[in-house]
Amino acid sequence: MSREKVTIYDVAEELGISIATVNRALNGKPNVSPETKRLVVDAARQMGYKPSKAAASLSRNPKRIAVLMMSTIMGFVAEVKRGIMKAYNDLKDFGLEVDIIEVVGDEDVDAEYIRRLDEIADEGYDGIIMLPGNESAIAQRLKQPGYGGKTVFATVVSDIVGSKCLFSVRNNGCAAGRMAAELLGMMTKNSKKVALVTGRNELFVHSETINGFKAMVDESGLEFVGVYEHYDKPSIAYKLADKLMNDVPDLGGIYFSSANSVTFCKRLIELGKISDIEIVTSDIFPEIEMLMRDGNIGATIFQNPFNQGKLVTRYMFEHLAEGRQFEDRNILLNPEIVLKSNIEFYSKNIEYVKYDMFI
């Protein structure tokens, strides 16, 4: 990505303070100490910062962004939403307005998502950020002539390939899959047979991860037995454990490429199988932390949903307010390996949503 000039974000990052504080200091607003104001002004001058005329006019002409979220995995989505709200709180003084629309449900959730997308596409938003579900159906909508008018579209967590979405902020799924395969290669002992359990194979974010995992299987000395889908439904994940154990009684390892792993692990405990299988999961929830501390999960791949939400909102605003362009539309965050020894450094920064992941 290229940027022609220094922005207020760069000044805030350089000083390690909030964008709102930099804004107050540069514009003579209250609630900023004289020392902080001097530091901000000096840093801005040294870095060559010049106020944006476009940004200065935003209070009179705010930028409206809608975020349409498929809330099938509540804990993960809650962290994405928290990141969005962090960006909003940083930028609201500059004229950013954000509406978050969550789609929940079981049977017709994909149809409901499309219905809500059609609604907000006609409401004159400057930008729409999508955490998508049925990507093929969304792609067909976005291909319709004139759909959304001048609205700018972007995605977070997954992507809609071949659509008119300007950019996508997501975890580097291919890297995550490769990391998981390498971990299982080191963790498995008696049996090298491994399975990958995911939400929906058709989703781009999952297909990326699956491809990365498969690419590393042979090099890691593993035997790949297949992909098992639970469609992000805990009840299906619970039953899927029985199927996998029946299919591969001598299974050595499992990689859960989506966040919905807890009910599956609970069933493995009930079956008395979890101690025989090495497990790598995705992300961090209270139940996953507990299972890791008990030695039932060996590692988890952290996808940083908070930063995904924060960055997609900030980048959308920068594009709308200052014309930021993207040389590469794929903005990929590096996945991180979390072990029992370092999980506390991650879990303490996550505001867990209290809900029952068990059934």
Side-chain angles (χ1 to χ4, degrees):
M1 286 171 290
S2 63
R3 178 175 290 165
E4 297 179 353
K5 60 182 180 180
V6 175
T7 71
I8 195 170
Y9 311 101
D10 300 312
V11 178
E13 185 174 350
E14 176 70 20
L15 295 175
I17 60 178
S18 71
I19 297 168
T21 298
V22 174
N23 178 50
R24 289 195 297 270
L26 292 176
N27 291 285
K29 296 183 178 181
N31 301 321
V32 182
S33 69
E35 181 181 357
T36 299
K37 181 177 181 179
R38 178 180 56 78
L39 287 173
V40 171
V41 171
D42 288 348
R45 182 172 58 251
Q46 292 171 9
M47 295 173 68
Y49 168 77
K50 294 182 180 179
S52 166
K53 293 181 180 179
S57 67
L58 282 175
S59 60
R60 299 186 299 274
N61 300 288
K63 298 301 180 183
R64 298 175 61 235
I65 296 174
V67 184
L68 184 60
M69 312 180 75
M70 182 78 81
S71 297
T72 51
I73 305 177
M74 293 179 64
F76 182 88
V77 172
E79 278 296 290
V80 176
K81 185 164 65 173
R82 192 167 69 89
I84 292 168
M85 293 308 299
K86 176 63 170 67
Y88 164 71
N89 287 324
D90 284 343
L91 297 168
K92 61 184 179 182
D93 289 345
F94 297 89
L96 173 62
E97 297 179 1
V98 174
D99 293 328
I100 298 178
I101 301 100
E102 294 187 69
V103 178
V104 297
D106 292 317
E107 299 302 324
D108 297 322
V109 65
D110 287 332
E112 177 64 12
Y113 190 97
I114 293 296
R115 187 186 72 79
R116 298 302 298 274
L117 179 62
D118 288 342
E119 287 181 353
I120 64 175
D122 290 333
E123 291 182 7
Y125 284 98
D126 298 290
I128 294 177
I129 297 169
M130 297 175 290
L131 195 163
N134 189 333
E135 293 165 3
S136 60
I138 298 170
Q140 291 302 315
R141 278 296 196 278
L142 297 182
K143 289 178 181 178
Q144 293 178 3
Y147 189 83
K150 296 182 179 180
T151 300
V152 177
F153 291 86
T155 59
V156 63
V157 176
S158 190
D159 194 15
I160 304 172
V161 179
S163 71
K164 64 177 181 179
C165 290
L166 181 65
F167 65 96
S168 171
V169 176
R170 63 186 189 275
N171 179 60
N172 189 330
C174 185
R178 293 176 64 87
M179 290 162 64
E182 187 172 359
L183 282 168
L184 286 175
M186 294 185 288
M187 293 162 60
T188 51
K189 299 294 187 294
N190 297 327
S191 171
K192 290 294 182 177
K193 294 180 180 180
V194 296
L196 190 152
V197 178
T198 190
R200 290 198 287 185
N201 194 358
E202 65 187 25
L203 295 185
F204 183 76
V205 62
H206 294 324
S207 64
E208 267 191 324
T209 307
I210 292 168
N211 290 337
F213 187 82
K214 288 180 177 179
M216 197 68 181
V217 162
D218 290 341
E219 187 175 336
S220 301
L222 299 171
E223 179 184 345
F224 184 52
V225 300
V227 176
Y228 288 73
E229 298 174 88
H230 53 59
Y231 305 98
D232 290 324
K233 297 181 184 296
S235 58
I236 295 178
Y238 186 86
K239 296 175 183 177
L240 198 61
D242 291 87
K243 175 174 173 51
L244 180 53
M245 291 300 94
N246 288 331
D247 290 349
V248 193
D250 58 340
L251 188 70
I254 302 174
Y255 169 42
F256 294 92
S257 70
S258 75
N260 223 334
S261 58
V262 175
T263 51
F264 196 111
C265 290
K266 181 193 177 186
R267 182 56 178 158
L268 291 179
I269 292 173
E270 293 173 349
L271 293 171
K273 292 288 189 178
I274 199 160
S275 61
D276 301 328
I277 301 170
E278 300 297 338
I279 294 175
V280 175
T281 60
S282 296
D283 288 298
I284 303 170
F285 303 102
E287 297 86 352
I288 286 181
E289 181 175 2
M290 178 181 66
L291 289 167
M292 288 186 72
R293 293 190 184 280
D294 289 343
N296 293 314
I297 293 175
T300 192
I301 308 294
F302 186 56
Q303 302 178 90
N304 210 327
F306 174 84
N307 269 352
Q308 291 188 51
K310 183 178 71 172
L311 290 177
V312 73
T313 307
R314 170 181 158 181
Y315 291 163
M316 175 65 85
F317 181 76
E318 287 185 15
H319 172 75
L320 296 173
E322 301 179 354
R324 177 173 185 163
Q325 300 300 312
F326 304 91
E327 292 180 0
D328 187 345
R329 64 176 301 278
N330 296 300
I331 301 166
L332 304 180
L333 277 63
N334 292 328
E336 301 173 35
I337 297 173
V338 181
L339 306 172
K340 181 179 179 179
S341 59
N342 68 339
I343 191 171
E344 65 179 295
F345 301 114
Y346 290 84
S347 61
K348 69 181 181 181
N349 293 319
I350 296 175
E351 293 183 5
Y352 290 132
V353 174
K354 301 300 181 184
Y355 72 102
D356 190 4
M357 292 184 71
F358 296 124
I359 58 173

